[in-house]
Amino acid sequence: MTPVRFSRRHVLVRALALGATALVAGCDRLSRSEWFFQWLQPAEKLSQVTQHLLAPRASMAQEFSAADLSPTFRSNGSSNPSNPIYQALALNHFSEYRLKVSGLVENPTAFSLADLRSLPSRTQITRHDCVEGWSAIGKWKGARLSALLEHVRPKPEARFLVLYCADSMDEAGNQYYESIDMEDARHSQTLLAYELNDQTLPVANGAPLRLRVERQLGYKMAKYLMAIELVDNFEKIGGGKGGYWEDQGYEWYAGI
Ligand SMILES: Nc1nc2c(c(=O)[nH]1)N[C@H]1C(S)=C(S)[C@@H](COP(=O)(O)O)O[C@H]1N2
Ligand SMILES: [Mo]
């Protein structure tokens, strides 16, 4: 069980203990059942019930067919990081590239692109929605982030993944970065994508590796991934709000 789920369950347990009927009244199936409250007493059963109530977060983003693909998938934000380290990697077709995964994990690992391609993958056609008001449908293939997590083995206190990118966004050299929680990280549609529309991921769209976290807006989909750190909070990272755009005032959870 992830710490995130635990904390939610904790909130729910507390709410029920306080007799927060409003919370339960939202759920028809339960509000009609007197027995529910009697049956609730043992802690183990409570845990099962709350798990079930929380299940909707496992919902899937809509997927499309090949006929729906946008003719081109535009680039937005950075389109070719000027960072010399990135440029040198690109010159060698990313053969020297390593994704460093560290922080609150038992098995810190540097993954080559071949390593990432050997992890269990998923291919999906989804719609990308940018806050600036455009959308595009693309076909993504990438390593399941859940599989990478199985390899690095998060410690129980890990709550978030912070994703560091190669591009700086301003004169001060502030790097693009993002963060997601363990639940989104383990979702089956969350990928470290290395292909777009059956081609190697182009530089304009985040080569060699970018995040797909399909139930959120475009700015969460960090491109040019260089490193991932597992943390229990992100207060001391960047401006402390969990992402480059979040530090400028955007929502941290950019649910669609
Ligand atoms: N590293 C990095 N990731 C980024 C951005 C960026 O500028 N730098 N822009 C974000 C925004 S606002 C969007 S909409 C998408 C755009 O992805 P695309 O270039 O493949 O269209 O990437 C997101 N990820
Ligand atoms: Mo965006």
Side-chain angles (χ1 to χ4, degrees), residues 45-218:
K45 291 233 170 115
L46 179 57
S47 141
Q48 286 169 25
V49 170
T50 51
Q51 273 300 351
H52 193 74
L53 286 171
L54 296 172
R57 249 209 106 179
S59 65
M60 301 287 279
Q62 187 179 0
E63 295 196 15
F64 297 82
S65 73
D68 303 314
L69 287 170
S70 301
T72 56
F73 199 101
R74 62 170 280 184
S75 172
N76 200 43
S78 302
S79 56
N80 188 4
S82 57
N83 174 347
I85 297 170
Y86 180 85
Q87 288 297 324
L89 289 169
L91 210 59
N92 280 331
H93 307 287
F94 300 104
S95 57
E96 306 296 311
Y97 171 85
R98 297 290 181 274
L99 176 76
K100 293 185 195 70
V101 184
S102 65
L104 298 173
V105 294
E106 304 288 354
N107 185 28
T109 307
F111 294 87
S112 68
L113 284 174
D115 295 335
L116 292 161
R117 282 182 176 270
S118 74
L119 288 173
S121 70
R122 191 173 198 274
T123 301
Q124 60 202 26
I125 299 178
T126 53
R127 195 187 62 227
H128 176 111
D129 296 316
C130 173
V131 273
E132 291 164 23
W134 59 273
S135 300
I137 293 178
K139 178 179 181 182
W140 302 96
K141 181 181 182 188
R144 293 172 181 263
L145 188 48
S146 60
L148 180 137
L149 288 177
E150 273 175 37
H151 183 91
V152 300
R153 301 201 307 274
K155 294 183 177 175
E157 60 270 32
R159 295 188 61 210
F160 305 100
L161 278 72
V162 181
L163 304 110
Y164 298 97
C165 307
D167 52 324
S168 31
M169 297 299 286
D170 49 35
E171 301 292 299
N174 283 313
Q175 305 283 120
Y176 202 98
Y177 77 103
E178 259 304 336
S179 60
I180 58 174
D181 64 16
M182 298 299 288
E183 200 152 348
D184 259 328
R186 292 199 169 105
H187 187 271
S188 63
Q189 290 171 315
T190 301
L191 309 180
L192 297 177
Y194 43 68
E195 281 182 20
L196 169 58
N197 295 337
D198 298 313
Q199 308 288 317
T200 303
L201 185 62
V203 166
N205 302 102
L209 197 69
R210 68 106 44 95
L211 178 68
R212 296 303 307 171
V213 51
E214 302 291 356
R215 299 176 304 174
Q216 296 202 53
L217 288 168

